[in-house]
Amino acid sequence: YLGELRKGLGEFNESLQVSRAVGDSREEAKALLYIGAVYQSLGETQKGLEKCNEALHVSRAAGDRRGEAHALNNIGMGYMWLGEMRKALDKFNEALPLSRLVGDRYREGNILGNMGVTYQSLGETRKALEKCNESLLICQSLDKRVAQVSMLNRIGEIHWSLGETQKALEKYNEALPLSRVAGDLTGEATALDNIGEIHRSLGETQKALEKYNEALPLRQAVGRRREMAGTLHKIGEVYRSLGETQKALDKFNEALPLSRAVGDRNGEAATLLAIARVEQ
């Protein structure tokens, strides 16, 4: 997966050179956004942000509102990855009216979903639920299944944070078969992880472990290191609760370098704390 991303980076850089040579601003901005997205997927968030900001300047200079909305959304996502949620929200609030102005329903749905995630991180749960439900309706109207899976998982997580366990489980159980139909490994892994969390909270430890172990190979297949680290951490926590300290330590030690590699400081801190507890 990482090799494919690196290969894609080379191709997008070629495309960038060609679009600049022929003076095609829209294609230049698109290529910059693709390059930025690849860097973000590789965990090089700062480089990704630089490319998205370049794309924003190009789109604005060309008067391309659609491209401007796309760039602002991607910049917001970069700030989300860095944990700078207020900055992220500012960018999404700039992007949303532009996407509506040009009638880009897909981007509108995407921005609303990102706003939901941001509000959730800021603890503004009801606002988060409202934005995610708006996004889900747009995704359903466009029959965008991968986006629907993402929103169903997110809405489930919000219900879960509100203590509405049954509603959360309903959303995850909607997301899981849809992710399989769509071939969405990330969405499937997230749904399995989330169902595992519910089992763990109910004290159904073996069921939780089964779900996490189903999710892990999907995470590995996709190659997103942040999410792989998260699932490994959860497996470690289950082993710790079962008193299987060596197995727990092994999982935490697998998770730690992955969190470090993508600059996920929160994940790194949580895993270091877990290792300390096991060693204690």
Side-chain angles (χ1 to χ4, degrees), residues 169-181:
L169 197 55
E170 282 168 21
K171 294 300 172 186
Y172 301 148
N173 282 323
E174 274 185 70
L176 190 57
L178 191 59
S179 68
R180 287 169 175 162
V181 169

Side-chain angles (χ1 to χ4, degrees), residues 5 36 42 91 94 129 131 141 164 190 220 234:
L5 282 176
L42 290 167
K91 295 302 172 188
E94 279 185 70
L129 200 53
K131 295 298 176 192
S141 73
E164 298 168 356
T190 302
Q220 289 164 333
K234 287 170 188 172

Side-chain angles (χ1 to χ4, degrees), residues 59-127:
S59 294
R60 278 182 173 159
D64 175 12
R65 296 292 178 85
R66 184 182 290 262
E68 191 180 341
H70 190 174
L72 284 163
N73 185 38
N74 284 24
I75 292 166
M77 286 164 69
Y79 283 129
M80 271 169 57
W81 283 116
L82 292 171
E84 298 184 40
M85 295 304 174
R86 287 288 169 202
K87 280 187 182 177
L89 201 54
D90 287 344
K91 295 302 172 188
F92 298 141
N93 276 316
E94 279 185 70
L96 188 61
L98 289 172
S99 67
R100 285 174 173 161
L101 183 70
V102 297
D104 187 348
R105 294 280 285 162
Y106 174 73
R107 190 76 49 210
E108 181 186 350
N110 189 237
I111 295 163
L112 285 163
N114 288 334
M115 290 174 90
V117 175
T118 310
Y119 277 126
Q120 189 185 2
S121 299
L122 292 167
E124 297 181 42
T125 317
R126 290 294 167 194
K127 275 188 184 174

Side-chain angles (χ1 to χ4, degrees), residues 204-228:
E204 298 167 358
T205 317
Q206 285 303 328
K207 280 186 181 176
L209 196 56
E210 279 170 29
K211 295 300 174 188
Y212 295 148
N213 279 319
E214 279 182 64
L216 186 60
L218 300 173
R219 296 286 193 212
Q220 289 164 333
V222 174
R224 293 286 289 267
R225 289 175 287 181
R226 183 186 297 256
E227 288 83 357
M228 281 164 64

Side-chain angles (χ1 to χ4, degrees), residues 129-198:
L129 200 53
E130 178 192 311
K131 295 298 176 192
C132 288
N133 276 313
E134 281 181 60
S135 175
L136 180 61
L137 287 173
I138 291 173
C139 298
Q140 286 168 336
S141 73
L142 298 172
D143 197 28
K144 296 288 183 183
R145 291 180 183 179
V146 172
Q148 283 179 60
V149 169
S150 175
M151 278 306 101
L152 285 164
N153 273 321
R154 180 60 59 180
I155 291 165
E157 285 163 20
I158 296 169
H159 283 304
W160 168 243
S161 74
L162 291 167
E164 298 168 356
T165 308
Q166 197 50 48
K167 281 186 181 176
L169 197 55
E170 282 168 21
K171 294 300 172 186
Y172 301 148
N173 282 323
E174 274 185 70
L176 190 57
L178 191 59
S179 68
R180 287 169 175 162
V181 169
D184 175 13
L185 298 185
T186 298
E188 185 181 350
T190 302
L192 288 164
D193 251 359
N194 288 338
I195 293 167
E197 279 294 275
I198 289 181

Side-chain angles (χ1 to χ4, degrees), residues 15-24 28:
S15 171
L16 179 62
Q17 299 310 317
V18 171
S19 56
R20 279 178 174 161
V22 299
D24 188 337
E28 180 185 351

